[in-house]
Amino acid sequence: MVLDSFQSDDVQALHARLLKAEKERDLLKSFNVSNAQRLLSVASGKPVSFFWKDIQANLQKILPDCYGLLLVRSKGSQGWVLVTRDEKNATLLNSEGQLGTLPRALMTFSESPSCPKRREANIQLSVDWGLWKGFLELNGFSDVVMLNVPTKQHDDYLMVFFQCHSADISDEVIDLLFDESANCMKAVSLREYSDRCLFEDGHRDPQTALLRRYSFENNFAMVLKDSRRHFQRVALMSLRLHARITQDDAADLKALAALIQRTVRDNDLVAYYDDGEFVMGIRIRHMEDAEVVANKLMKALRDPELAAKKLVSDGVSIGISFYPEHSSLDDLYRAASFAENSVSESFGHRLEFHGRVYSSSNDFYVF
């Protein structure tokens, strides 16, 4: 009888292990399919933000309570900045909308590129994570996995994944998932650097006849330089189409780009950043001038002939940020993207000001 009981326990244990192994096998199959799709996206030139959202979405299918931060540091720079912002990580920003100093544990790890990955538990009790204690307690995060993604010629990335508790999946499988995510980011970073080298001399995007991203960056740097010299204001606008862009939309995309170029002034900079995003740099005298331009764009995009086309009918969001509130293109672009992502309606705009998002500049100084 006792022997039968032991045998029954052994069978149950083996059955549980088998079920767990089958679950992990199915998860890895799904993850491998996603990796194949990512390689195609790398080849097509999708931006870092696209892959980061994809990585988070795929990890959360397997680890539902997992939440990630992606930080980037340009060569020659000492500070880390957030690549994308959302409601959770916005609580980590200071009054100027900047990330500021990292917790000691994260800073130490980021300065150790020879250590690609580190896992820590019970971080809400650790003095080395004290700077982010409020953020950790607010979200119930207890564990963290940190991954260094260093590069030789271009930007370095730091991936930070928080969890509320340990998952019912083997450490080997979890490590594989995180390692593949870091490899994906390395591939995207290398591809972006290759693009910069290959297309530096090509100023215009062939799809839209607008400035390429890197040409826009070079021209906008001169705009910022002039604005500093003459104490002028500048606004950066990110206009994103909600529709997915396909090869069949080439003619409509070019017509839309021409409309945007006609709507702004001749000396304003307009670029196509790919993936349905147009970026504009405009000189302004007052903050409300940027809203005037945004409203002109919305009115033009609601033209009956254009509005009937799929590219526009699915919706348009505009995000606006300001110089000198943000002193660099990188900061301006991140702030404008944060504002654009905060638009809840199909057609609308938002303005970022000192780390917060507003519907109108009239609300900036309402206490």
Side-chain angles (χ1 to χ4, degrees):
M1 187 78 105
V2 174
L3 181 61
D4 290 344
S5 176
F6 276 120
Q7 289 176 339
S8 177
D9 290 343
D10 289 343
V11 169
Q12 290 180 1
L14 288 171
H15 183 65
R17 288 174 59 188
L18 178 61
L19 289 177
K20 183 178 179 181
E22 289 177 343
K23 178 183 177 182
E24 292 179 349
R25 177 203 63 194
D26 292 340
L27 290 174
L28 289 174
K29 277 186 178 180
S30 174
F31 196 76
N32 285 336
V33 171
S34 299
N35 275 342
Q37 184 61 46
R38 282 181 194 164
L39 290 175
L40 293 175
S41 297
V42 170
S44 67
K46 296 292 186 182
V48 167
S49 57
F50 171 88
F51 290 95
W52 177 239
K53 290 178 182 178
D54 183 62
I55 286 171
Q56 290 193 98
N58 278 288
L59 280 173
Q60 286 175 350
K61 291 177 184 177
I62 301 170
L63 305 170
D65 66 337
C66 182
Y67 172 76
L69 299 175
L70 179 63
L71 284 66
V72 62
R73 180 174 61 185
S74 299
K75 289 300 181 185
S77 172
Q78 297 299 315
W80 292 91
V81 296
L82 284 168
V83 172
T84 59
R85 298 184 187 180
D86 55 40
E87 291 183 359
K88 282 188 178 180
N89 63 42
T91 62
L92 298 174
L93 306 178
N94 58 27
S95 59
E96 297 178 351
Q98 305 298 319
L99 187 60
T101 306
L102 300 183
R104 186 175 7 173
L106 189 55
M107 182 60 74
T108 301
F109 174 73
S110 71
E111 298 303 328
S112 308
S114 59
C115 178
K117 180 173 57 186
R118 180 178 299 164
R119 185 193 302 271
E120 293 187 9
N122 299 318
I123 57 174
Q124 76 279 17
L125 305 176
S126 171
V127 176
D128 288 344
W129 287 91
L131 284 177
W132 286 3
K133 184 176 181 180
F135 167 76
L136 298 174
E137 292 181 346
L138 178 65
N139 295 285
F141 296 138
S142 60
D143 300 345
V144 67
V145 175
M146 300 171 282
L147 299 104
N148 270 318
V149 189
T151 57
K152 293 183 178 180
Q153 298 94 350
H154 35 105
D155 299 337
D156 293 329
Y157 290 95
L158 181 61
M159 304 169 72
V160 189
F161 295 98
F162 297 99
Q163 288 181 263
C164 300
H165 53 75
S166 299
D168 186 27
I169 300 175
S170 67
D171 290 342
E172 292 80 3
V173 172
I174 292 177
D175 284 342
L176 179 62
L177 299 179
F178 286 130
D179 290 345
E180 287 302 309
S181 298
N183 289 335
C184 173
M185 198 57 61
K186 287 179 182 177
V188 178
S189 180
L190 181 59
R191 194 267 307 153
E192 284 204 336
Y193 176 71
S194 299
D195 282 351
R196 195 172 301 182
C197 295
L198 291 171
F199 299 118
E200 193 66 41
D201 295 332
H203 296 293
R204 296 284 171 179
D205 171 67
Q207 296 182 88
T208 60
L210 298 177
L211 290 175
R212 291 183 185 272
R213 180 173 188 149
Y214 301 112
S215 299
F216 176 89
E217 291 175 352
N218 291 334
N219 284 276
F220 193 77
M222 291 186 283
V223 172
L224 287 181
K225 186 176 181 180
D226 289 340
S227 299
R228 293 188 186 98
R229 182 182 298 118
H230 300 291
F231 303 98
Q232 295 174 334
R233 279 197 169 278
V234 178
L236 189 82
M237 306 178 68
S238 169
L239 184 154
R240 185 175 292 279
L241 307 175
H242 295 181
R244 293 181 62 87
I245 311 298
T246 66
Q247 292 182 346
D248 296 334
D249 299 320
D252 291 343
L253 185 64
K254 193 162 188 175
L256 177 60
L259 175 64
I260 292 173
Q261 183 74 78
R262 291 196 305 269
T263 304
V264 299
R265 296 166 301 186
D266 291 340
N267 64 339
D268 291 332
L269 298 175
V270 185
Y272 184 57
Y273 268 32
D274 205 355
D275 205 32
E277 182 183 19
F278 298 83
V279 177
M280 288 152 276
I282 58 176
R283 293 179 175 87
I284 56 175
R285 294 177 63 87
H286 308 286
M287 286 183 165
E288 54 265 34
D289 294 345
E291 293 180 76
V292 172
V293 176
N295 288 326
K296 284 176 62 179
L297 285 166
M298 284 298 183
K299 183 179 179 180
L301 294 173
R302 288 180 181 274
D303 176 87
E305 183 178 346
L306 182 63
K309 298 183 183 298
K310 179 180 72 70
L311 282 184
V312 177
S313 62
D314 285 358
V316 178
S317 302
I318 297 178
I320 306 172
S321 59
F322 299 94
Y323 168 86
E325 281 68 25
H326 297 285
S327 58
S328 70
L329 173 57
D330 285 346
D331 291 340
L332 283 162
Y333 178 66
R334 275 185 284 272
S337 296
F338 177 48
E340 180 269 317
N341 286 325
S342 301
V343 176
S344 56
E345 57 269 41
S346 296
F347 286 81
H349 70 270
R350 294 290 186 274
L351 303 93
E352 192 278 352
F353 188 65
H354 289 291
R356 299 185 64 183
V357 175
Y358 299 86
S359 298
S360 170
S361 60
N362 294 330
D363 300 328
F364 285 176
Y365 301 105
V366 175
F367 298 96

